[in-house]
């Protein structure tokens, strides 16, 4: 199994001009992949409400608003689109728990090292994988994410990329991340025993092989599932998985 269609996409999702034009054309709130109602059990399990949270590639999503309603106190939202950020700054001007800044996630030098307890990414790494120089863009973004997370903090990644195409990016020695994988069906998918009917089973980490991959006999209940990587930043050196070529380099 290999799930990553980024190299076949003709849009440059890493380009601010694309996103500015998109938000000018469609200003309605939109959440990529999953809404907070579906992600709630995962967020509450791994992100304390007192955490200082960085939401990368926030767009005009309602997720940060929903997190504040759920008790989260400090969420910094960044996006490459000045159109989206200006829109959200106006919308949430009276919500002190939410702050918005225009920023490229490949260069977040505005923030000091270890500024955040948690970084949440719902599709932003994926969007960079659709742009030019995808492996370099991904490396720059993940390097910044790692720099900004405090020891013991978490990078919370929601993506369509399965371990074959995401683990090579996430397991680089510079990050020292201990990674757990969870899988959630796409919204609206209905099948007995899925996350919609068995929250507890969804909160059980997927056992991975020694190479950090899904077992060969593992079958996704929903072939279009989303993958949640919980990357915990440790003080200790994490044993590294075997090195593989990045799939974006060979496709």
């Amino acid at each position: 199994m290999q799930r990553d269609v980024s190299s076949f996409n003709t849009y440059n999702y890493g380009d601010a001009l694309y996103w500015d034009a998109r938000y000018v054309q469609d200003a309605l709130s939109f959440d990529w992949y999953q809404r907070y109602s579906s992600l709630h059990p995962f967020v509450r399990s791994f992100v304390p409400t007192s955490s200082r949270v960085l939401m990368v590639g926030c767009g005009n999503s309602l997720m940060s608003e929903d997190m504040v309603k759920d008790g989260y106190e400090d969420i910094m939202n960044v996006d490459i689109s000045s159109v989206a950020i200006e829109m959200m700054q106006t919308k949430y001007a009276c919500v002190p728990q939410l702050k918005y800044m225009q920023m490229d996630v490949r260069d977040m030098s505005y923030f000091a090292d270890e500024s955040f307890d948690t970084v949440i990414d719902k599709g932003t790494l994926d969007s960079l994988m659709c742009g030019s120089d995808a492996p370099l863009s991904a490396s720059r973004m993940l390097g910044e994410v790692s720099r900004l997370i405090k020891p013991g903090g978490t990078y919370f990644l929601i993506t369509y990329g399965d371990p074959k195409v995401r683990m090579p990016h996430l397991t680089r020695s510079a990050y020292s991340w201990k990674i757990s994988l969870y899988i959630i069906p796409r919204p609206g998918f209905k099948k007995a025993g899925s996350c919609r009917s068995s929250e507890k089973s969804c909160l059980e980490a997927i056992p991975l092989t020694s190479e950090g991959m899904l077992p060969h006999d593992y079958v996704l209940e929903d072939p279009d599932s989303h993958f949640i990587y919980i990357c915990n930043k440790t003080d200790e050196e994490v044993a590294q998985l075997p090195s593989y070529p990045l799939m974006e380099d060979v496709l």
Side-chain angles (χ1 to χ4, degrees):
M1 180 180 66
Q2 177 182 318
R3 284 262 311 281
D4 195 341
V5 297
S6 57
S7 50
F8 302 103
N9 202 304
T10 58
Y11 295 110
N12 187 355
Y13 290 130
D15 190 335
L17 293 176
Y18 169 83
W19 292 107
D20 283 344
R22 178 171 178 144
Y23 290 121
V24 166
Q25 184 177 12
D26 188 358
L28 295 176
S29 298
F30 181 78
D31 272 282
W32 290 91
Y33 302 161
Q34 302 280 342
R35 297 191 178 189
Y36 184 63
S37 56
S38 298
L39 297 172
H40 168 267
F42 298 94
V43 176
R44 290 305 297 260
S45 293
F46 301 110
V47 185
T49 55
S50 59
S51 298
R52 188 178 188 214
V53 176
L54 175 64
M55 186 77 67
V56 292
C58 61
N60 59 6
S61 167
L62 294 174
M63 181 157 172
S64 293
E65 174 187 334
D66 290 339
M67 288 179 65
V68 168
K69 292 177 180 177
D70 197 28
Y72 288 87
E73 304 167 357
D74 187 356
I75 306 177
M76 171 62 73
N77 301 269
V78 301
D79 197 277
I80 198 171
S81 170
S82 59
V83 174
I85 291 299
E86 290 172 8
M87 182 189 314
M88 300 299 269
Q89 286 174 335
T90 300
K91 182 177 181 179
Y92 295 110
C94 297
V95 183
Q97 299 94 327
L98 296 177
K99 302 175 183 65
Y100 289 85
M101 292 186 65
Q102 190 276 332
M103 192 173 294
D104 187 330
V105 294
R106 292 165 288 195
D107 179 8
M108 296 186 282
S109 53
Y110 176 87
F111 299 121
D113 294 359
E114 301 179 2
S115 291
F116 297 94
D117 300 293
T118 303
V119 175
I120 297 179
D121 172 2
K122 189 154 66 80
T124 300
L125 179 63
D126 290 356
S127 72
L128 291 180
M129 301 311 302
C130 298
S132 57
D133 298 322
L136 176 60
S137 289
S139 177
R140 289 174 61 190
M141 174 189 163
L142 293 174
E144 284 289 84
V145 168
S146 178
R147 178 182 70 81
L148 293 177
I149 297 175
K150 298 175 183 179
T154 300
Y155 174 42
F156 190 116
L157 171 64
I158 303 102
T159 171
Y160 59 72
D162 71 26
K164 283 188 178 179
V165 294
R166 288 295 174 262
M167 280 298 207
H169 294 283
L170 299 175
T171 56
R172 294 183 176 182
S173 59
Y175 306 148
S176 295
W177 286 340
K178 183 178 180 181
I179 302 173
S180 300
L181 175 66
Y182 302 82
I183 298 177
I184 183 171
R186 68 188 185 277
F189 179 80
K190 298 184 184 299
K191 184 175 181 179
S194 73
C195 278
R196 296 296 182 264
S197 60
S198 180
E199 179 180 299
K200 180 179 178 180
S201 65
C202 264
L203 288 171
E204 296 175 355
I206 305 299
L208 300 174
T209 68
S210 59
E211 292 80 23
M213 301 293 131
L214 291 172
H216 294 298
D217 59 352
Y218 188 88
V219 178
L220 291 172
E221 290 184 344
D222 174 13
D224 294 318
S225 291
H226 296 128
F227 298 83
I228 300 176
Y229 297 84
I230 302 298
C231 308
N232 185 255
K233 185 175 182 179
T234 68
D235 287 317
E236 303 174 359
E237 184 175 347
V238 176
Q240 295 302 301
L241 299 174
S243 178
Y244 296 97
L246 299 180
M247 298 308 299
E248 290 77 9
D249 293 337
V250 300
L251 288 176

